[in-house]
Amino acid sequence: MGVLLILRRRLPKTGQVTAIEYWVYLPEPKLPRIEAIMNRMISENPHNRPGRPCIGAREGMLFSDIRLHMGIARRERNAHIFRPDLFASTVELTPEVLQALGDARAVAKLRYVAEQPLADRRHLQFMPHLADAVAELGSGVAVFDSVSEWLMTSSSFHSRLSQVPNQERIDQHLRVCWVQWGEEESVQTRGFLKIGLPELKTTAIPADERSVVLAVMEEFAGQVWKDGVLPESADIPFMGQT
């Protein structure tokens, strides 16, 4: 069985960059001390396993990288980032998350943006552990991955890292979503921006073809993530054929 995907690239307005960003919702508008964050991420990281630290010298170099930014946004000045009705349709809003948004008074914005190609993907490992450390030290109530559009309670985010300490895996960053906007429905990716590639979007898809197109896009996106290159065209296996 063959399937043809017609894709559109969702390019940033300022040109292609690598960007990864987490918002940690906090009860108070205060960032933990950088020394405490470093200790929590390295020597006191609860996700470390014997002989396998989550943050080693390779990832630790990002602490001094000028492309790393940490800041605070107060609720009274940024009310829109606390409103559940303003999140994208792909963001799951559970009762626990809604309660967390109501309890928060500030957001720690943790951002890493590179305008030049990166030599590796260490930032994919570093940034989730940074978010987890800030959440624990700052008594955070929720964590939002603004690129992949995942929003969860801080305890759920912590559990996720415990299950998968290696955060360079594709399933920890890339999503393939069915998105409805007005009368148009399409399959889109969320997360390619983290490795410097444009997000993908199909043309309008009939609802009865949803499962097929989702499966094909997942296969294609997985290969693109592995190779780190977006080809102009590709033969995509589906149900044993191409």
Side-chain angles (χ1 to χ4, degrees):
M1 178 178 180
V3 177
L4 172 65
L5 280 184
I6 300 176
L7 300 171
R8 299 170 177 163
R9 304 183 183 191
R10 300 176 65 243
L11 293 168
K13 295 179 180 179
T14 57
Q16 192 57 43
V17 297
T18 298
I20 182 170
E21 181 176 55
Y22 291 88
W23 300 0
V24 182
Y25 286 81
L26 304 171
E28 300 293 336
K30 183 180 180 181
L31 275 173
R33 293 182 301 106
I34 187 62
E35 295 81 7
I37 293 174
M38 293 174 67
N39 288 337
R40 166 58 173 69
M41 289 179 66
I42 301 174
S43 59
E44 299 176 7
N45 195 322
H47 310 297
N48 286 340
R49 296 179 180 177
R52 297 168 60 189
C54 295
I55 304 298
R58 172 177 174 267
E59 297 81 13
M61 293 179 65
L62 297 187
F63 280 115
S64 59
D65 194 319
I66 61 172
R67 295 170 291 192
L68 175 66
H69 173 76
M70 296 188 287
I72 284 286
R74 297 171 180 266
R75 188 180 190 119
E76 59 266 27
R77 298 179 182 176
N78 303 272
H80 61 286
I81 62 178
F82 296 83
R83 287 179 51 182
D85 59 308
L86 296 182
F87 281 98
S89 62
T90 53
V91 177
E92 183 180 2
L93 297 170
T94 65
E96 294 78 13
V97 161
L98 292 173
Q99 181 64 51
L101 293 179
D103 292 340
R105 291 295 173 267
V107 170
K109 288 194 173 185
L110 315 174
R111 182 186 306 120
Y112 185 81
V113 178
E115 297 181 355
Q116 301 295 328
L118 297 174
D120 55 42
R121 298 180 178 180
R122 71 183 76 181
H123 60 292
L124 299 182
Q125 176 75 356
F126 180 89
M127 292 300 292
H129 284 275
L130 173 62
D132 187 52
V134 170
E136 181 177 295
L137 295 171
S139 300
V141 292
V143 177
F144 178 48
D145 179 338
S146 69
V147 176
S148 300
E149 297 182 353
W150 270 311
L151 176 60
M152 62 194 81
T153 63
S154 55
S155 59
S156 295
F157 187 80
H158 181 87
S159 297
R160 193 164 176 257
L161 261 66
S162 292
Q163 296 169 11
V164 186
N166 174 14
Q167 286 291 299
E168 292 191 29
R169 286 176 29 168
I170 182 176
D171 59 345
Q172 301 303 294
H173 296 283
L174 188 68
R175 300 176 62 199
V176 175
C177 312
W178 180 263
V179 180
Q180 182 169 356
W181 184 262
E183 297 182 356
E184 180 179 307
E185 298 181 354
S186 65
V187 173
Q188 304 178 21
T189 63
R190 297 290 187 272
F192 271 129
L193 186 59
K194 296 181 179 182
I195 59 170
L197 294 176
E199 302 294 352
L200 304 179
K201 175 184 177 181
T202 66
T203 55
I205 301 294
D208 60 356
E209 297 180 7
R210 177 186 303 184
S211 60
V212 172
V213 178
L214 280 170
V216 173
M217 178 68 97
E218 287 173 356
E219 182 72 23
F220 178 65
Q223 190 61 50
V224 171
W225 182 275
K226 178 182 177 181
D227 296 341
V229 177
L230 182 61
E232 292 297 325
S233 62
D235 291 327
I236 306 169
F238 184 69
M239 297 180 64
Q241 302 182 42
T242 58

